[in-house]
Amino acid sequence: MSSEQLTFAEELILLAHRETDGKQLIPNNVLNVSLSAAELADLAELGRVELRGANLAVADRRPVGDPELDAVLTRMVKVGKELTPSRWLIMINPVRKYRHYLRRLAERGVFGAARSRTLGLIPVERYEYADVAPLREVRALLGRVLRGNKPDARTVTLLALAHRSGVLGHLFDLDGGKRVEELVRDDWAGQAVKTYVDKTTKKPGDLADGMTLLSSGGS
């Protein structure tokens, strides 16, 4: 699989899981919200939403043929308002979003899922990489930018999402982060994540260990 076939959200889910063992690198709540921001960025790139001043609005209601993106677009159409990107992150209701993308990429052969039971009772699904090539390709792209290559607009958005979610610092030595900050300063998707992270207190124990619980009625 080539990274050219991946959405922003898929690229972010790859970056957010450690190559060696599939361990998730950032808290669930931050990852879920960051994936929602990535979906908004995907919809903007496809011309379905657009910035109008400080707000993000639906520009084209036609489905794009991606179930996750179309669900977000449908939600935005139903709300029927222009809202700031950070407000849309809450309105989209991103609970358990990361699970959908892990399973989606597992179906495409990128992750392998192993099922077991904790305490012999609770169903657990653990993901590890079955194909690390897409991750390495995306990581190499960001690495070239951090070393001085000039990025295109799409790469700036991916960099912003990775940086504001906290993923980037797990993958690279940012040396203070000055260059990254200069590059992503004006990216609205990354700023939406930053707004959420700045207002949210991370709870102890929220950092996942790469396992997805399949109980509790979640899908």
Side-chain angles (χ1 to χ4, degrees), residues 63-80:
V64 300
D66 180 299
E68 305 297 336
L69 298 183
D70 285 339
V72 173
L73 184 59
T74 297
R75 172 67 172 156
M76 295 180 73
V77 170
K78 185 176 181 180
V79 171

Side-chain angles (χ1 to χ4, degrees), residues 28-42:
N28 291 338
N29 62 328
V30 176
L31 180 54
N32 282 326
V33 165
S34 301
L35 289 170
S36 291
E39 290 171 335
L40 292 175
D42 280 313

